[in-house]
Amino acid sequence: MSEDLIVREQEPLNLEMPFSSLDGFITPNESFYVRCHFPIPEISAESWRLKVEGEVEGPFELSYDELLGMEKRTITATLECAGNNRIFLERKVKGVQWALGAVGNASWTGVPLSTLLDRAKIKASAVEVILEGADEGEVDKSPRLPGKISFCRSLPLSKARADVLLAYEMNGEKLSASHGSPLRAIVPGWYAMASVKWLRRIIVTAKPFNGFYQSLDYSYWDRSGPLPTLAPLAEQQVKAEIARPENGEAIAANSAYRIHGAAWAGSASVTRVEISFDSGATWRDVKLLGEPVENAWRLWEYQWHTPAIAGRPIIIARATDSRGTVQPVERSGDRGTYMINHLLPIEVEVRAL
Ligand SMILES: Nc1nc2c(c(=O)[nH]1)N[C@H]1C(S)=C(S)[C@@H](COP(=O)(O)O)O[C@H]1N2
Ligand SMILES: [Mo]
């Protein structure tokens, strides 16, 4: 584990990447944030088995070696914790106080979930797939105490079949214990609570699952229908984050400064990132770097000539995605303590030298 990570919690382990250290498209494994709800389970790959059961014609179990022998795929996906940026909420809320760094981008290698679902032969009655982790513990959150539970989340069958990967490698290395070894799900484009670690069971169900981590927790008020309804968090929302300068950073006046960061938009692509130095009155386009990669963030930069005189300019970045969605200016209360993607102005200190 890298000393560069910010320890938000020791037990369960919650580590954040200082976002100012962003310096490449791929986040190195030792810099990748870690989010755990329970103690990391001790699992030996030799005795570990993955069960596939529920609404299927042929339930089965797989060993680690059998998985390694199956046809594999490598994808790139940005994982963002749905609570990333929580520290910036004006009304302080419960939960891990993440700043900008509960996000990272890696390449993941493993077996498509659809391969296992096909092998199990899903019944026509199936609607969802529950992914269960081997970690468990007591949850003491109000208002309803579920007691001892394991970490699990469900996916609609369509998403489970489309592009979900069961990964055993991260950036070409064997998955580490903190990131979910021996096997984790990667749900591209979704907030990372869906990417269940330490997988032990895949349960196909004939009715929507209503577990703790998608009802009392990790849900939001969906107002797209006639009445508000609690819906499980899913797709990552469009967002640009500034890596440098950091909030409060001292910068020389009348000089060249490279403002840079990353932007992502779930399974949509980032089409534009803009920056404002006048509280949003005018916006300038930044340069998007590299080529777009599906489900992955896009790095960006802006060559800034800093003001000639000392002062405290405010910088705001804002992203737009291929669906035409722009980051909101204001925070919506419907999102509780999650899905935080409103604009986050930073202030820097320009010093005359
Ligand atoms: N089994 C299990 N899976 C889990 C979690 C967990 O606590 N237990 N945390 C989820 C959350 S909220 C996030 S943000 C991601 C974090 O993945 P990482 O630790 O590899 O960065 O894992 C998800 N998968
Ligand atoms: Mo998370």
Side-chain angles (χ1 to χ4, degrees):
M1 204 70 50
S2 160
E3 301 120 44
D4 306 337
L5 291 170
I6 304 160
V7 180
R8 294 288 178 202
E9 226 175 319
Q10 200 61 259
E11 188 61 64
L13 192 63
N14 283 298
L15 305 173
E16 175 169 351
M17 182 186 95
F19 198 67
S20 57
S21 67
L22 175 77
D23 77 345
F25 177 66
I26 292 290
T27 310
N29 291 355
E30 62 278 8
S31 310
F32 207 99
Y33 82 99
V34 173
R35 169 68 176 118
C36 301
H37 292 76
F38 300 123
I40 295 173
E42 275 176 39
I43 302 172
S44 103
E46 291 76 55
S47 55
W48 173 87
R49 295 288 181 279
L50 178 68
K51 289 186 176 155
V52 183
E53 57 187 51
E55 295 293 303
V56 298
E57 303 290 349
F60 64 92
E61 277 188 20
L62 269 185
S63 71
Y64 187 62
D65 282 344
E66 284 171 305
L67 255 169
L68 295 189
M70 297 175 75
E71 198 173 328
K72 64 181 178 185
R73 257 199 88 185
T74 297
I75 59 167
T76 304
T78 295
L79 294 191
E80 183 188 22
C81 181
N84 191 31
N85 301 176
R86 186 176 287 141
I87 201 168
F88 305 114
L89 293 182
E90 267 155 38
R91 204 159 52 77
K92 286 295 157 216
V93 293
K94 285 192 194 153
V96 183
Q97 295 298 303
W98 303 111
L100 297 170
V103 60
N105 184 54
S107 76
W108 309 93
T109 302
V111 176
L113 174 55
S114 61
T115 306
L116 301 197
L117 297 176
D118 288 347
R119 186 195 280 198
K121 295 205 178 62
I122 295 178
K123 292 186 182 166
S125 51
V127 294
E128 285 195 355
V129 177
I130 306 173
L131 307 176
E132 185 190 32
D135 52 332
E136 47 195 22
E138 288 276 338
V139 177
D140 56 3
K141 267 200 188 174
S142 325
R144 289 270 167 82
L145 315 182
K148 189 173 176 184
I149 53 172
S150 53
F151 187 89
C152 40
R153 284 276 305 191
S154 75
L155 295 165
L157 198 53
S158 54
K159 179 67 178 173
R161 276 184 151 146
D163 60 357
V164 176
L165 191 71
L166 307 182
Y168 47 75
E169 271 178 26
M170 176 177 184
N171 292 331
E173 282 172 25
K174 214 165 136 255
L175 206 58
S176 67
S178 58
H179 292 296
S181 72
L183 190 72
R184 76 172 304 166
I186 294 295
V187 180
W190 285 35
Y191 283 113
M193 74 277 129
S195 293
V196 177
K197 305 193 275 188
W198 311 293
L199 278 177
R200 70 173 173 201
R201 205 149 56 117
I202 293 171
I203 311 159
V204 181
T205 60
K207 60 177 189 181
F209 178 60
N210 198 26
F212 181 78
Y213 293 108
Q214 57 198 66
S215 55
L216 289 179
D217 208 1
Y218 293 109
S219 60
Y220 71 104
W221 288 108
D222 176 7
R223 292 182 196 273
S224 59
L227 291 166
T229 174
L230 269 187
L233 299 182
E235 277 265 334
Q236 294 168 15
Q237 304 295 304
V238 62
K239 180 190 285 186
E241 286 191 0
I242 303 171
R244 295 284 305 277
E246 289 183 83
N247 194 26
E249 188 172 321
I251 294 172
N254 198 25
S255 57
Y257 188 100
R258 176 179 176 261
I259 300 175
H260 76 104
W264 55 94
S267 59
S269 56
V270 171
T271 49
R272 190 173 196 189
V273 176
E274 300 156 286
I275 203 155
S276 175
F277 299 95
D278 54 11
S279 301
T282 61
W283 295 89
R284 309 177 197 182
D285 281 317
V286 310
K287 185 175 178 201
L288 300 178
L289 304 173
E291 292 301 316
V293 175
E294 231 188 333
N295 303 308
W297 66 19
R298 188 97 186 253
L299 302 185
W300 57 266
E301 69 178 16
Y302 181 84
Q303 301 294 348
W304 187 32
H305 193 91
T306 64
I309 50 164
R312 295 185 156 275
I314 288 175
I315 308 176
I316 314 173
R318 130 181 130 178
T320 303
D321 71 20
S322 49
R323 297 174 184 140
T325 311
V326 188
Q327 274 182 262
V329 178
E330 303 277 354
R331 171 82 188 142
S332 161
D334 287 346
R335 296 171 174 199
T337 66
Y338 296 112
M339 284 209 277
I340 305 154
N341 77 324
H342 60 290
L343 301 182
L344 291 177
I346 62 164
E347 189 184 79
V348 296
E349 192 191 335
V350 171
R351 286 186 186 159
L353 288 183

